[in-house]
Amino acid sequence: MTKTSNYPLIIIGAGAAGLAASEMATRRGVKHRVLEASHRTGGRGLTEILADQYPVDLGCHWLHSGSINPYTEWATKLGFDYSISRWDFSMFIDGAWYFDTDATAPFRYIDEINARMEGCQKKGDACSQWELADSDNKWNQFFQYWVSLMSSVDADQVSILDICEYLDTHEDWPVMKGYGALIARQGVDCPVDLNCVVTKINWGDLPISIETSQGVITADRVVITASTGVLNAGDIEFNPKLPGWKMEAINALPLGNSNYTFCTFEPDAIDPDAPDHILWQRDDQTFWVRLREFGHPYAFTSTGGRFAWWLEKQGQNASIELFSEVMVDIFGSSIRDKLSNFKVSAWGMDPWIRGAYSAAQPGKTGMRAELARCIDDRLFFAGEATSPESFSTAHGAYQSGHRAINQVCDSLS
Ligand SMILES: Cc1cc2nc3c(=O)[nH]c(=O)nc-3n(C[C@H](O)[C@H](O)[C@H](O)COP(=O)(O)OP(=O)(O)OC[C@H]3O[C@@H](n4cnc5c(N)ncnc54)[C@H](O)[C@@H]3O)c2cc1C
């Protein structure tokens, strides 16, 4: 970066939204740079290699709504294979395989709640998802776990109006070489300055002056893609302060938390006929245990909501021990010594993210549109939380990056 140079546009953050914004800015001929605090691009898209062999996603994993997801096209173009097979669940409850009911029963309960949500949506009711559940339903615990994965907060913390807006084609396609790797590859030609932490944006006068760990840079327009976790924490100072309506939107769309634990298992450790997708439940805990993705000998599970925050704070060994116990419960004590190469994500502690994905608080409506609204044709906002119908996803972030650049170009013309 030339420290004192003035750019027509600066983009803050090189996650899915920032890289897409950069791609669109290049396409529309707007000279710009992308400032990224981390040592890498991709943000909440992060693929790492498990046991030196298997790419695994610690962040976004599925091409949600695959047939209408722009990253599906990128995957095809860039040679990233993905799987479109649907999964079947088996249940392991209180120490035994559960054959008394069909495995779709918990999902039918979720469908019931979704139908109730649609009824409430018509009435404009901004209640939480929790208020629509039956506390004594057999599958309620599963429902709560599922919501905590979908929204990264618990059912009492998310507005049904938000969830009803979400556009879902129910096509969730994992990427073999990793979704995080795909995002980084898609943005490989973007002009990104890594390890460049933006600390303050002085936007009262033009040009806007941006203070960073690598010096001051000026710009006529700024697109901000940092998460609402980062913005809520006040990690980037705004001078003058952001207006009240913008702060209200940021506060109403906090990040929850969600984490993965992975491990490999020895080839003979698990019966080849064992199911690949297991819903495990005991006492007040539920986990979705997944085995052999793309045929590889590894297992993984996810946590969400308050439990994910709590477990992350206990440290990685607590996640490893918990997952090992779940695997022992299902496959017997002999499996413990056959599990290795553990890998655990920690999104809550990531200083440049501070959580997983945004969820609109009950009672707060229209906040995603407010978050996406620009200020004085100089500060523009993108990122998953600004997406009206694909929030909490990588493709929603991508689309928001394009939308922000179109706003920038309108403001320049
Ligand atoms: C565990 C988990 C599972 C997920 N699963 C899926 C899934 O299966 N499918 C899916 O579509 N989505 C999934 N998501 C959500 C998806 O990953 C995100 O919605 C998306 O990647 C967000 O992109 P973004 O560009 O909006 O934000 P980010 O990825 O957060 O990008 C913002 C960037 O800004 C940078 N930044 C922050 N502060 C500063 C600063 N001060 N200065 C400079 N740079 C800064 C950050 O380092 C980051 O790179 C998952 C997320 C998690 C955590």
Side-chain angles (χ1 to χ4, degrees):
M1 188 200 322
T2 315
K3 306 290 184 281
T4 50
S5 50
N6 185 59
Y7 282 88
L9 171 66
I10 285 293
I11 297 165
I12 299 175
L19 295 174
S22 174
E23 172 218 344
M24 181 58 94
T26 300
R27 231 196 282 170
R28 298 202 59 172
V30 184
K31 195 172 167 221
H32 67 282
R33 289 210 69 81
V34 184
L35 312 183
E36 168 54 55
S38 171
H39 65 287
R40 62 175 183 88
T41 61
R44 282 169 270 174
L46 170 62
T47 304
E48 290 188 355
I49 306 298
L50 186 69
D52 295 330
Q53 289 183 75
Y54 313 116
V56 291
D57 280 312
L58 277 76
C60 55
H61 179 58
W62 288 281
L63 294 159
H64 288 312
S65 297
S67 61
I68 56 168
N69 184 325
Y71 279 118
T72 305
E73 239 173 83
W74 277 110
T76 306
K77 193 166 154 190
L78 299 172
F80 281 68
D81 292 340
Y82 50 88
S83 163
I84 59 169
S85 57
R86 294 183 76 85
W87 52 72
D88 292 320
F89 283 94
S90 297
M91 285 180 276
F92 193 89
I93 300 181
D94 294 334
W97 292 105
Y98 195 78
F99 296 114
D100 294 352
T101 189
D102 71 291
T104 58
F107 292 96
R108 284 205 302 277
Y109 175 55
I110 288 184
D111 287 345
E112 250 175 65
I113 294 176
N114 286 343
R116 286 176 210 166
M117 281 202 298
E118 278 162 28
C120 290
Q121 183 196 22
K122 285 192 190 112
K123 288 191 276 163
D125 194 345
C127 69
S128 77
Q129 245 190 325
W130 172 250
E131 289 166 65
L132 303 180
D134 303 323
S135 52
D136 54 353
N137 187 291
K138 179 181 188 144
W139 301 114
N140 207 39
Q141 186 181 313
F142 165 73
F143 158 73
Q144 289 183 61
Y145 172 70
W146 200 250
V147 171
S148 78
L149 299 190
M150 297 301 109
S151 302
S152 82
V153 294
D154 290 299
D156 59 305
Q157 298 175 300
V158 57
S159 162
I160 59 151
L161 293 182
D162 198 39
I163 293 173
C164 288
E165 293 298 322
Y166 183 74
L167 179 64
D168 195 355
T169 66
H170 303 284
E171 298 158 304
D172 305 296
W173 299 341
V175 182
M176 196 183 254
K177 284 190 269 181
Y179 202 164
L182 171 63
I183 292 170
R185 174 68 187 81
Q186 183 274 327
V188 78
D189 295 326
C190 296
V192 180
D193 293 306
L194 295 175
N195 301 305
C196 183
V197 183
V198 172
T199 51
K200 189 170 179 182
I201 302 174
N202 302 292
W203 58 280
D205 297 310
L206 286 179
I208 300 163
S209 138
I210 302 157
E211 297 177 25
T212 82
S213 56
Q214 296 182 10
V216 177
I217 189 164
T218 59
D220 299 327
R221 305 282 187 274
V222 178
V223 173
I224 298 150
T225 74
S227 74
T228 52
V230 167
L231 296 174
N232 256 320
D235 294 341
I236 300 175
E237 189 183 341
F238 289 86
N239 176 32
K241 284 188 190 330
L242 291 176
W245 60 267
K246 183 62 80 179
M247 284 315 300
E248 193 192 347
I250 292 168
N251 292 332
L253 294 162
L255 297 194
N257 202 5
S258 179
N259 280 311
Y260 281 116
T261 305
F262 297 86
C263 68
T264 56
F265 53 82
E266 289 175 22
D268 66 339
I270 295 177
D271 183 341
D273 293 331
D276 290 344
H277 293 264
I278 303 165
L279 284 180
W280 174 92
Q281 200 161 297
R282 188 184 270 285
D283 304 324
D284 60 353
Q285 282 189 323
T286 306
F287 289 110
W288 175 9
V289 176
R290 284 162 275 179
L291 305 175
R292 294 180 290 243
E293 191 157 64
F294 299 111
H296 297 146
Y298 67 79
F300 64 112
T301 193
S302 340
T303 55
R306 295 180 181 99
F307 181 74
W309 286 111
W310 175 81
L311 188 62
E312 189 178 316
K313 282 197 189 116
Q314 307 310 303
Q316 294 211 342
N317 285 343
S319 297
I320 292 169
E321 183 51 29
L322 182 59
F323 190 34
S324 302
E325 276 173 23
V326 170
M327 293 293 278
V328 163
D329 195 44
I330 302 172
F331 298 109
S333 54
S334 63
I335 198 166
R336 190 178 278 274
D337 295 338
K338 297 182 175 181
L339 305 177
S340 51
N341 299 301
F342 284 89
K343 197 178 262 300
V344 185
S345 69
W347 290 105
M349 277 182 227
D350 186 316
W352 317 124
I353 311 289
R354 293 184 177 272
Y357 23 96
S358 65
Q361 291 176 334
K364 304 279 181 182
T365 55
M367 291 294 146
R368 296 195 186 275
E370 289 297 86
L371 188 62
R373 187 145 71 95
C374 70
I375 304 176
D376 289 353
D377 275 348
R378 47 181 89 159
L379 296 187
F380 296 80
F381 291 80
E384 58 85 11
T386 67
S387 171
E389 55 185 19
S390 301
F391 46 84
S392 309
T393 70
H395 67 281
Y398 177 93
Q399 288 161 334
S400 77
H402 284 190
R403 185 260 309 142
I405 295 305
N406 290 333
Q407 286 176 320
V408 166
C409 291
D410 288 349
S411 78
L412 290 170
S413 60

